[in-house]
Amino acid sequence: MNTDTTEAIVFTLLFATVAGLGFAAARWRRPDTMDDIDEWGLGGRRLGSWMTWFLIGGDLYTAYTFVAIPALVFNVGAAGFFSLPDLAIVYPMVYLVLVRLWSVSYAKGYVTTADFVRGRFGSRTLALLVAITGILATLPYIALQLLCIEAVLKTMGVDGQWPVVLAFVVLAGFTYRSGLRGPTVIAIVKDTLVYLVIIAAVLYIPFKLGGWGDIFDTAGKKFSGESSGGVLLASNNQLNYASLALGSALGLFLFPHTSTGALAARSRNVVKRNMAALPVYSLIVGFIALLGFMAVAAGVTPLMRDNGKPDNNTVVPLLFQQVFPHWFTGIAFAAIAVAALVPASVMSIGAANTFTRNIYMEYVRPGADKAHEARVSKVASLLVKFGALVCTLLLDPQFSTDFQLIGNVIIMQTLPAVALGLFVRWFHRGGLIAGWIAGMGSGLWMLYEIPNPATGHAHFGGSAFPLSKIGLSTGMPVYAGMLALLVNLVVAIAATVVCRAAGLPDGVDTTRPTDYLADLPEPAHGPVADTLRTPAEPVAAAVAEGPASEEQHR
């Protein structure tokens, strides 16, 4: 394709501006030093309501929402709308989990969910498993963001891999320099661009295509006679749809980047307000998904990959290019690229914090100081991005949404230890480890058994597992993550009963009931409200408990 000059100029100017903001963000509320994981990896833990709202919103609503979901709707119809019930049920659960997680993390100085598991269950092994799970689950999610940037560049007619490599270098650079401050500042621009483009698309594209009636009529004709898709949900997809929506909701708040955004908030009340206000973002998700039907009505044909297969990620960029004037298409393309940069940055930071705190500091250099810890986390954030690139080579799902859904299958196996652990202490650490092994093993086996019919690859081709493979006489598939979680819970419960009956020693819980309600009193409105609490405050409670508890916390 030929590159349109206007599109390229507008896109380049906006992308360069956003990248500049990412680098300059290191000076925003600059502390005495960035060689502290609280400062680099959590923005000093002092984000107020608005900045937290932009950060978590930019973190959860990614290019995956903007590009991959409409592409799925374009190909399979109504089944692609699973994100709507997902978001309808996720926030009550997120409210319960993240509010308590913030409080106990503030009281004990935790930076990651694996920190919490270490203190709650007194098990280095369980914390290590949670840390490894979080890192592995994040890699395909970051890979998806890179693929969305590649789709935009391909639609613009930019050939070769160098533009994607350049975007990768920019992402790595401002993340390394600015830490969480970078994506926090950029998230404001990202949300502004996304809302502008979506509002314009919802108002202008239907008008251009003859109205919503014509859009749905054209989509209905495309999917007529197809058993797996349509403007209404097919009967053989209903179980997968329901399990996919529930599984996506259960996994969303377990990813390292979700907890990273929440723990950066300055108080428990900030987290509460954000969990109550974030559903506002969900209002536009339905319209974003409808871009898939608009692309059908507009007669969009996806560009082809090098292997001769269609690149479905180009559906939305091609739709914008077809209906919008060139200058606004450049804005839309920049919005997609920035919508990939923000979450990819936070994801790499969350995974890097997890590696540093729960693997490196636990097993390699337990006595390292804060400056060394922060430097290792910065380097780890670079390595995480390279791991994401590897995922694009190893995984070959039918739809790009499966990059996130495959990661979700993995991260769901931490739910018993993290989410349930915030509310109950009944599980034995040995039971949780056994449950994780069973759930992770069954989940990876199911993913391995799922082919990609579009490319002919036999493994890791999606997340919908046919129930016929486990001997059930039905052609319906189910989301592999829900089956794996069920196996995990059954084994964890059974193994806990066995461990307690055998009298096996359990780990020491260093948390206290009051830790789960801890809060930092919010100052009055004004400049004082943004004052940074000292890094020593979160660990004050742990030190006060005495040497034994402090050692167990480490």
Side-chain angles (χ1 to χ4, degrees), residues 374-385:
R375 288 194 296 271
V376 171
S377 193
K378 291 178 181 179
V379 174
S381 72
L382 303 179
L383 298 178
V384 166
K385 297 178 184 69

Side-chain angles (χ1 to χ4, degrees), residues 152-510:
V152 168
L153 296 173
K154 183 185 293 186
T155 305
M156 290 173 60
V158 180
D159 298 323
Q161 294 298 316
W162 68 266
V164 178
V165 173
L166 179 61
F168 177 86
V169 171
V170 169
L171 170 64
F174 78 71
T175 302
Y176 186 93
R177 172 178 167 80
S178 303
L180 196 66
R181 286 171 168 81
T184 301
V185 171
I186 293 176
I188 301 174
V189 181
K190 172 255 182 185
D191 287 349
T192 302
L193 289 175
V194 167
Y195 271 102
L196 172 66
V197 172
I198 293 304
I199 290 173
V202 169
L203 295 178
Y204 180 73
I205 296 179
F207 171 77
K208 185 95 173 187
L209 299 177
W212 287 105
D214 288 346
I215 291 174
F216 280 103
D217 286 343
T218 305
K221 292 176 182 177
K222 174 187 175 180
F223 294 112
S224 61
E226 295 188 17
S227 60
S228 60
V231 293
L232 298 177
L233 194 64
S235 59
N236 63 334
N237 271 336
Q238 291 175 0
L239 179 60
N240 184 56
Y241 182 89
S243 62
L244 186 56
L246 179 58
S248 296
L250 290 174
L252 183 63
F253 57 84
L254 298 171
F255 280 97
H257 60 276
T258 306
S259 57
T260 296
L263 296 184
R266 71 169 176 237
S267 73
R268 177 185 173 101
N269 284 334
V270 167
V271 179
K272 284 184 175 181
R273 285 194 290 267
N274 272 271
M275 293 307 105
L278 277 169
V280 173
Y281 274 96
S282 304
L283 294 175
I284 68 170
V285 173
F287 291 111
I288 292 176
L290 284 172
L291 292 174
F293 283 160
M294 296 181 200
V296 172
V300 170
T301 301
L303 299 179
M304 305 304 289
R305 300 182 186 272
D306 293 337
N307 60 7
K309 304 296 181 180
D311 184 356
N312 293 313
N313 287 333
T314 60
V315 166
V316 170
L318 285 170
L319 172 66
F320 290 160
Q321 191 176 61
Q322 185 169 320
V323 300
F324 285 140
H326 295 303
W327 65 269
F328 194 81
T329 301
I331 294 176
F333 287 172
I336 296 174
V338 175
L341 283 182
V342 172
S345 178
V346 183
M347 290 170 193
S348 63
I349 291 171
N353 290 345
T354 300
F355 168 80
T356 304
R357 294 276 294 196
N358 307 114
I359 299 178
Y360 185 84
M361 296 290 289
E362 187 77 32
Y363 294 94
V364 182
R365 290 285 298 275
D369 58 22
K370 289 186 176 181
H372 184 81
E373 181 184 34
R375 288 194 296 271
V376 171
S377 193
K378 291 178 181 179
V379 174
S381 72
L382 303 179
L383 298 178
V384 166
K385 297 178 184 69
F386 281 107
L389 289 176
V390 173
C391 281
T392 62
L393 301 176
L394 296 181
L395 299 179
D396 185 34
Q398 184 174 3
F399 301 108
S400 58
T401 49
D402 285 314
F403 275 98
Q404 190 272 341
L405 298 177
I406 288 173
N408 202 71
V409 172
I410 297 172
I411 199 64
M412 285 176 69
Q413 307 319 309
T414 65
L415 186 144
V418 177
L420 297 184
L422 284 165
F423 296 91
V424 296
R425 183 62 176 81
W426 178 81
F427 285 101
H428 191 281
R429 58 181 176 178
L432 289 171
I433 292 172
W436 181 93
I437 293 173
M440 187 64 69
S442 60
L444 292 176
W445 171 76
M446 284 184 280
L447 292 174
Y448 181 81
E449 290 293 317
I450 299 173
N452 182 347
T455 62
H457 287 91
H459 309 295
F460 295 104
S463 60
F465 181 73
L467 291 174
S468 59
K469 286 184 176 290
I470 55 175
L472 298 181
S473 57
T474 176
M476 289 194 298
V478 68
Y479 180 47
M482 289 302 298
L483 282 182
L485 179 61
L486 179 61
V487 171
N488 186 331
L489 288 171
V490 170
V491 172
I493 292 171
T496 295
V497 172
V498 171
C499 289
R500 302 222 183 276
L504 296 180
D506 205 348
V508 178
D509 182 4
T510 62

Side-chain angles (χ1 to χ4, degrees), residues 91-146:
Y91 285 108
M93 294 186 290
V94 172
Y95 184 96
L96 293 173
V97 171
L98 290 187
V99 170
R100 287 178 69 86
L101 179 63
W102 186 94
S103 290
V104 71
S105 298
Y106 164 72
K108 308 298 288 186
Y110 299 151
V111 175
T112 68
T113 54
D115 281 351
F116 161 72
V117 171
R118 175 75 167 88
R120 178 65 152 165
F121 297 100
S123 172
R124 296 176 71 202
T125 302
L126 183 59
L128 176 63
L129 294 177
V130 170
I132 293 173
T133 304
I135 295 170
L136 291 179
T138 302
L139 296 182
Y141 212 165
I142 299 176
L144 175 55
Q145 312 307 318
L146 298 177

